[in-house]
Amino acid sequence: MSGAPSTLLVLINRDSGLPGAAPVEHRLRELFAAESLDAELRVVERGEDIAELARAAVGRYAALVVAGGDGSLSAAAGALAGTDMPLGILPLGTFNHFARDLGLPIDLERAIRVLAAGKRRRVDVGEVNGRVFVNNSSVGIYTDVVEDRDRQRRGTGRRKTVAAAIAGFRALARYRRQRLTVSVGGQVWRKRTSLLFVGNNSYRLSFPNLSGRTRLDGGELCLFAVTGHGWRLVRLMLRTLLGHADADADFQRVEGIDGLTIDSDAPSLVVALDGEVATLATPLTYRSRPTALTVIAP
C-alpha cells in the first residue's frame, strides 16, 4: 500500500441492541456510498474482541469507526488511546452517552456526514489499573445492576432498558454497603458506601443530564461517593431522576483531580467501566490521560 491509508474500517457490534446486523449493514453501505466514503464494513460476531480488532487496524486504515454503544466505544478507545488513529462513532447503542457528550447526532445519516467532514479533536480518557474508560467507572451497587441486567438479556432476551430497571429494583432490595478506603488529593477516607462513581471529567447530576459533561478535555477526574443507603438510597435515586438531587447532602464529591486510589480488604473488586464489568485487583488506581484519544467530531 503506497501513501497514507484512505479506507475507513467500520466495526458493527451485533450485541449493541441492534434490531438486526444485516439490515443495519445494508443501510450503512448505502449511506457511506452516498457520501463517497471508502469504507470496509465488518460485523463483529459474539465472542470477538473489539479491542483486538481495533489494535490490528492501527496504521492500516485512515480511521476506525465503531457502530455500537458505549461499551463497544470504550473497548476501541482502550486500543486507540495514545495513538494517532482517530475513532469515528456511529451511535447505535441504548444510551450513547459518549456520543451525546461529544455533541454528535444520533441520527445515522447525520452521523455519517460528520465522518465525511473529517474534523478531529482530542479528548481525555480515564484509566483504572490499565483499563480505559471514556465515560465513567464505579464500584458498588451499579456493578450488581449491570451483571443482573446482562444475565437477563442472555437468559430471557429482554431489552436492555427493561432488564436494567428490573435489575435496579433487585439490587436495591439486597445490596449491602462496602467498606472502602479512598486516597484522593492528599486525604484518606475510610467509609462504608453503596456506590463510588469516578467520571472522566466533571458530571452534572440533574435529569435529563444525569450523564452530561460540559467538556471532555479538562484533563481531570471527578469522584462521587453516595452517603445514603437502604431506603435513603432509594429516595436519592428518585430525587436524582426527578432533578432534585442535592450534590452536597447526598454525595461526598471531589472534582478537578488527576488521580485517586480505592482500596479494600478484599483482594479484588468488581468494577463497572462504561456499562461493562470487570474484576480488578486492589488497590484500584485511577488516573486521567489528557487528550489521549483522537475522535472524529465537530
Side-chain angles (χ1 to χ4, degrees), residues 106-133:
I106 302 304
D107 173 74
L108 264 185
E109 188 171 350
R110 293 172 58 210
I112 288 180
R113 286 186 193 142
V114 170
L115 296 178
K119 292 184 178 180
R120 301 180 182 186
R121 55 190 276 207
R122 297 191 72 88
V123 298
D124 309 334
V125 298
E127 185 181 277
V128 53
N129 291 19
R131 294 284 297 267
V132 162
F133 57 95

Side-chain angles (χ1 to χ4, degrees), residues 2-287:
S2 61
S6 59
T7 303
L8 307 178
L9 176 62
V10 183
L11 300 180
I12 305 169
N13 186 7
R14 185 184 292 277
D15 287 338
S16 287
L18 305 177
V24 171
E25 182 181 4
H26 179 72
R27 177 60 174 154
L28 289 179
R29 289 190 187 281
E30 291 180 336
L31 293 174
F32 278 110
E35 295 294 334
S36 300
L37 288 171
D38 181 11
E40 178 183 323
L41 275 63
R42 174 172 177 177
V43 175
V44 180
E45 301 293 343
R46 186 167 298 173
E48 286 191 286
D49 190 333
I50 288 179
E52 287 185 6
L53 296 174
R55 279 190 288 271
V58 174
R60 298 178 55 216
Y61 295 89
L64 175 72
V65 179
V66 174
D70 288 311
S72 305
L73 292 169
S74 184
L80 300 185
T83 76
D84 292 326
M85 180 82 156
L87 175 64
I89 298 168
L90 295 177
L92 292 178
T94 304
F95 301 111
N96 303 305
H97 294 310
F98 189 49
R100 293 178 189 276
D101 289 349
L102 282 168
L104 290 170
I106 302 304
D107 173 74
L108 264 185
E109 188 171 350
R110 293 172 58 210
I112 288 180
R113 286 186 193 142
V114 170
L115 296 178
K119 292 184 178 180
R120 301 180 182 186
R121 55 190 276 207
R122 297 191 72 88
V123 298
D124 309 334
V125 298
E127 185 181 277
V128 53
N129 291 19
R131 294 284 297 267
V132 162
F133 57 95
V134 294
N135 296 323
N136 55 70
S137 171
S138 63
V139 176
I141 191 171
Y142 181 63
T143 62
D144 281 18
V145 173
V146 171
E147 290 182 315
D148 188 356
R149 178 202 70 190
D150 290 347
R151 279 195 298 269
Q152 290 180 62
R153 295 189 71 206
R154 289 191 299 268
T156 68
R158 288 189 178 115
R159 293 177 56 188
K160 183 180 284 188
T161 50
V162 174
I166 294 170
F169 282 112
R170 288 175 177 170
L172 285 170
R174 67 172 181 260
Y175 194 79
R176 298 294 180 267
R177 292 179 294 167
Q178 291 177 292
R179 189 182 299 277
L180 301 170
T181 300
V182 182
S183 301
V184 55
Q187 300 181 28
V188 177
W189 306 343
R190 292 181 177 85
K191 59 169 55 258
R192 290 175 64 85
T193 182
S194 53
L195 177 67
L196 282 177
F197 171 99
V198 180
N200 173 28
N201 286 284
S202 183
Y203 271 72
R204 295 187 296 265
L205 292 175
S206 60
F207 184 80
N209 295 314
L210 196 61
S211 66
R213 290 166 286 181
T214 57
R215 64 182 300 180
L216 294 174
D217 58 357
E220 62 185 38
L221 304 174
C222 67
L223 168 68
F224 293 93
V226 173
T227 56
H229 63 96
W231 284 108
R232 287 183 61 192
L233 180 59
V234 176
R235 289 197 299 270
L236 166 60
M237 293 180 70
L238 291 173
R239 283 201 304 272
T240 302
L241 289 172
L242 294 171
H244 301 313
D246 184 333
D248 294 318
D250 295 323
F251 301 91
Q252 187 167 1
R253 61 175 178 166
V254 182
E255 298 182 89
I257 54 178
D258 57 11
L260 68 144
T261 62
I262 299 172
D263 208 349
S264 166
D265 291 337
S268 63
L269 288 169
V270 180
V271 180
L273 299 149
D274 294 329
E276 306 293 332
V277 295
T279 300
L280 303 181
T282 54
L284 306 178
T285 302
Y286 284 87
R287 68 176 179 129

